[in-house]
Amino acid sequence: MTTVDTLTTPGRLETALRTAGRKLLVPYVTGGLTDNWTDFIAAYEQAGADAVEIGLPFSDPMIDGSVIQQASDVALARGTTVASILADVAKLRPGIPLVAMTYYNLVQRRGLAVFCAALAEAGISGLIVPDAPLEEAGDLAAAAGQHGVELVRLAAPSTPPARLTEIAERSRGFIYAISLMGTTGVRAELAATAGQLAADLKARTDMPVILGLGISTPEHAAEASRYADGVVIASRIMREVLDGATPAEVGAWLATVRTALDA
Amino acid sequence: MTAVHPFAFEAPLPDSSGHFGRYGGRFVPEALIAALDELTVAYHAAKKDPDFLAEYDRLLRDYAGRPSRLYHARRLSEQAGAEIWLKREDLNHTGAHKICNVLGQALLTRRMGKKRVIAETGAGQHGVATATAAALFGLECVIYMGEVDTERQALNVARMELLGAKVVPVTTGSRTLKDALNEAFRDWVANVDSTHYVIGTAAGPHPFPALVRDLARVIGAETREQFDGLPDAVAACVGGGSNAIGMFHAFVPDPTVRLFGFEAGGDGADTPRHAATLTGGRPGVLHGARSYLLQDAEGQTIESHSISAGLDYPGVGPEHAWLRDTGRAEYRPVTDTAAMEAFKLLCATEGIIPAIESSHAVAGALSIVPELTAALGRPPRIAVCLSGRGDKDVSTAAHWFGLLHDQ
């Protein structure tokens, strides 16, 4: 499918990340996970996050591991919908950009353009759809571009070189580099594949490259930021939140990641 | 024999990107794209490789027991007021058409140099078939099965373990078939270098819908040769849709042959408890392809319900979605009750205990007799895919008909 990316100038997300002047910290929260879920966004910002990824929960999250699936199930059982999350987000005025992450079916169910317009209206700058690879994302990229939403593309360690180039060209906001062949989850070590993928992407583009999947400690984050422009941290935080951690507690831990990234 | 091998047949669809019209495609994580490309290359090369085709044929004949018989069910026909022929897929080794798919995919696994196979299973039939092929080929085998299903189908778990497979109960989500699929995809992403994912139906990301169809295509190709002339209609049950697409495909170019797919209507397609995706669903994306999907207004998957575990799935293969929209095939729901009545009727009239899945096809065939008779001005001749045998379902049937008085 041919793609018309109408978004040709850097949007709020890309601009913020390019001008941060430091290694990038992008923590994740599952939308609607708790009553006070938006307090996590505020706590992340205070702890030094450069952007926040908000998960719009789907019943069948194929790329996610057990923690994010559990968080999704909990949020859905609370009656969370895309509309309820966007309504919550619209009340916020964060100083950092927000990125939605969800699966293709939730996007197509509302209609690609309607969905992207709703994101923009709620103040969300970017969108990550991990089950929409290059071949299937053309229409979505066009809809996102029309509504000023930056469609973040994902690259994996198994992605061949020519495809990496195309992903780097098409991605908006940043490039999400999947650090390992696997699903989201807490892991003991940073994957060996992370550095190579980040380097391969950096050689192709000046777009920010952010590593995600399995980044679970300040040490992982510091190591990853030697190869990439920053990190996404999701499962490690959601594990704590599922176990009852407050926004302040998660924020305090995240501040240690900030410190490690800045060291 | 046909000039073109059923597996080697070059179909006009899907297109090179795996689309059947607006359906199909590859809605998968980037990490799987390279493996799907590798599989696509191996599959297209195998179609043109005489050695591959010869070995596949030898396995189908000597191991699976093909060709399967086409049997004129005279007593059932009398009751139905039609001429009904049963394509006896129940007589295959392991008791269903699914052996054709797993033998082909096991050959491809070996061709790709992989040593491990994984599969999802609902009732356990595809798991048993995969474990069988893995044993035959000496491959490591892991089967993902919803925890609820491992309890409902403990005997099939034992069968898989006897065949050397490891069965992993899936405890996420609704703990049924769709969650087993999610878990199998997760395993595949993590182990894609060593592992082939043997998808059990003509669904999932490209090339699986085409690959599984081509491996099942032998069902209809044989039927077309065995039948005297052409049937007026062909009938099959549809869950994911592998036996149905296998039965239909050789007849798609024959305009006089009507194609009927019968879905699991559960308590009724107008109730919340059914698995009639093409009747009650709407287009969406799940497990790697765009097709019809049981989903709510938000786009969340709705859990399906059917007495038949093999049809109890909220999605359906993308080629069926295309055949539905183009009108070439007709899809109708059959309730649990109607399927079980057909189950009983086939037992009583022909001495054949069918799988409950296949009973949906029999019930559906009986239901279309009046309209076909009216349209043709004579009793219709119908070929029904009897996709599997019912040994696995005896306990369910015994409960349904109240034959187990001590429980």
Side-chain angles (χ1 to χ4, degrees):
Chain A
M1 205 172 288
T2 53
T3 305
V4 184
D5 288 328
T6 50
L7 194 67
T8 49
T9 55
R12 182 187 175 199
L13 176 62
E14 184 179 335
T15 303
L17 298 180
R18 278 181 185 276
T19 57
R22 59 182 181 178
K23 291 295 180 180
L24 304 168
L25 176 58
V26 184
Y28 167 97
V29 63
T30 298
L33 178 57
T34 59
D35 269 337
N36 66 339
W37 76 272
T38 55
D39 292 350
F40 287 94
I41 297 175
Y44 294 170
E45 185 177 0
Q46 217 171 12
D50 298 289
V52 175
E53 183 185 340
I54 299 170
L56 309 180
F58 179 48
S59 52
D60 295 86
M62 189 164 80
I63 187 73
D64 284 304
S66 57
V67 174
I68 304 296
Q69 167 131 37
Q70 196 187 335
S72 301
D73 291 347
V74 169
L76 290 173
R78 292 183 69 251
T80 298
T81 63
V82 171
S84 74
I85 291 171
L86 296 187
D88 288 346
V89 169
K91 294 175 204 146
L92 309 175
R93 289 286 177 272
I96 52 176
L98 305 175
V99 189
M101 182 281 197
T102 195
Y103 286 80
Y104 195 83
N105 200 50
L106 295 198
V107 181
Q108 70 86 34
R109 186 71 180 85
R110 296 191 140 209
L112 307 180
V114 173
F115 186 93
C116 292
L119 290 187
E121 197 172 324
I124 293 177
S125 305
L127 174 62
I128 304 167
V129 184
D131 60 345
L134 284 178
E135 293 79 359
E136 304 291 353
D139 293 347
L140 177 57
Q146 276 160 16
H147 295 281
V149 172
E150 296 161 86
L151 184 63
V152 175
R153 308 302 182 102
L154 299 94
S158 59
T159 305
R163 202 177 157 87
L164 274 187
T165 303
E166 197 180 346
I167 288 167
E169 282 170 3
R170 293 204 186 282
S171 200
R172 297 291 178 270
F174 63 92
I175 301 170
Y176 195 130
I178 301 287
S179 71
L180 53 83
M181 294 296 286
T183 53
T184 58
V186 179
R187 291 191 171 71
E189 295 178 353
L190 183 69
T193 43
Q196 187 61 50
L197 176 60
D200 287 348
L201 285 166
K202 294 296 290 175
R204 286 172 164 78
T205 179
D206 63 351
M207 176 83 67
V209 173
I210 302 188
L211 277 164
L213 263 67
I215 295 168
S216 312
T217 66
E219 293 74 30
H220 292 173
E223 190 189 343
S225 71
R226 288 208 297 273
Y227 318 116
D229 299 305
V231 294
V232 171
I233 301 183
S235 295
R236 167 62 198 264
I237 300 175
M238 287 302 99
R239 178 73 268 152
E240 309 278 334
V241 175
L242 285 168
D243 291 343
T246 63
E249 287 164 343
V250 174
W253 180 80
L254 213 53
T256 67
V257 179
R258 179 77 265 166
T259 305
L261 286 171
D262 292 344
Chain B
M1 288 302 287
T2 41
V4 179
H5 191 287
F7 176 65
F9 180 83
E10 292 293 339
L13 288 177
D15 64 19
S16 60
S17 60
H19 291 90
F20 302 87
R22 62 191 287 227
Y23 300 108
R26 275 185 186 170
F27 291 87
V28 293
E30 174 64 24
L32 288 178
I33 295 291
L36 292 169
D37 281 341
E38 178 192 20
L39 177 62
T40 305
V41 168
Y43 149 59
H44 286 297
K47 286 180 114 177
K48 296 185 176 72
D49 179 351
D51 292 340
F52 183 95
L53 297 177
E55 184 162 17
Y56 184 47
D57 275 345
R58 183 183 64 76
L59 287 167
L60 289 183
R61 186 188 65 225
D62 299 341
Y63 188 72
R66 296 203 78 92
S68 69
R69 301 289 195 255
L70 183 69
Y71 165 72
H72 183 195
R74 287 188 172 77
R75 278 178 30 90
L76 179 69
S77 295
E78 241 171 69
Q79 294 247 342
E83 194 178 300
I84 294 182
W85 294 76
L86 302 176
K87 181 59 174 164
R88 297 292 306 275
E89 295 301 311
D90 59 317
L91 297 180
N92 281 309
H93 178 46
T94 71
H97 72 288
K98 288 188 180 288
I99 191 75
C100 308
N101 175 36
V102 296
L103 288 173
Q105 291 202 47
L107 279 170
L108 284 174
T109 303
R110 198 177 65 187
R111 190 182 180 95
M112 292 185 288
K114 296 185 174 182
K115 307 278 186 233
R116 178 175 179 267
V117 288
I118 57 172
E120 83 294 343
T121 197
Q125 293 310 102
H126 174 57
V128 168
T130 304
T132 299
L136 181 66
F137 282 75
L139 301 166
E140 184 188 345
C141 180
V142 175
I143 305 294
Y144 290 94
M145 190 170 184
E147 191 182 43
V148 171
D149 292 328
T150 61
E151 288 157 9
R152 291 197 290 209
Q153 301 285 341
L155 267 182
N156 267 342
V157 174
R159 278 193 185 97
M160 289 181 264
E161 288 175 347
L162 285 169
L163 291 162
K166 181 183 169 200
V167 179
V168 179
V170 174
T171 56
T172 52
S174 59
R175 298 180 295 141
T176 58
L177 176 59
K178 79 175 177 70
D179 306 285
L181 266 142
N182 291 335
E183 213 56 38
F185 271 112
R186 290 169 181 148
D187 179 313
W188 202 30
V189 173
N191 300 294
V192 72
D193 285 341
S194 67
T195 300
H196 174 61
Y197 178 12
V198 183
I199 289 187
T201 190
H206 178 64
F208 283 104
L211 169 62
V212 176
R213 173 199 68 199
D214 290 347
L215 292 168
R217 207 176 167 278
V218 66
I219 303 171
E222 285 178 3
T223 304
R224 211 170 177 289
E225 279 186 21
Q226 292 164 328
F227 210 90
D228 179 19
L230 285 172
D232 299 308
V234 163
C237 64
V238 180
S242 65
N243 91 86
I245 201 71
M247 184 68 171
F248 290 175
H249 203 253
F251 292 103
V252 167
D254 300 312
T256 62
V257 181
R258 286 175 71 178
L259 309 175
F260 288 93
F262 294 105
E263 300 194 285
D267 291 348
D270 51 352
T271 75
R273 291 176 56 84
H274 65 83
T277 310
L278 291 162
T279 307
R282 50 187 302 157
V285 169
L286 180 70
H287 296 142
R290 190 199 306 272
S291 186
Y292 279 74
L293 175 63
L294 296 181
Q295 56 183 317
D296 66 15
E298 276 287 299
Q300 308 292 353
T301 310
I302 295 175
E303 276 180 51
S304 55
H305 293 277
S306 169
I307 189 170
S308 153
L311 304 181
D312 195 355
Y313 177 61
V316 66
E319 192 162 8
H320 287 295
W322 182 78
L323 289 170
R324 174 201 186 278
D325 282 9
T326 59
R328 179 63 190 94
E330 300 160 67
Y331 298 88
R332 299 181 187 180
V334 168
T335 61
D336 287 352
T337 303
M340 292 312 291
E341 286 308 310
F343 177 98
K344 195 175 177 181
L345 183 64
L346 196 63
C347 291
T349 57
E350 299 289 344
I352 295 171
I353 300 179
I356 296 176
E357 290 79 9
S358 319
S359 303
H360 286 71
V362 175
L366 299 177
S367 75
I368 58 175
V369 170
E371 66 186 88
L372 290 179
T373 305
L376 295 162
R378 59 169 168 79
R381 304 168 78 209
I382 307 174
V384 180
C385 185
L386 202 71
S387 54
R389 68 176 178 228
D391 304 41
K392 68 184 176 61
D393 295 319
V394 169
S395 164
T396 304
H399 281 103
W400 179 272
F401 294 115
L403 303 176
L404 295 178
H405 302 294
D406 55 343
Q407 296 203 6

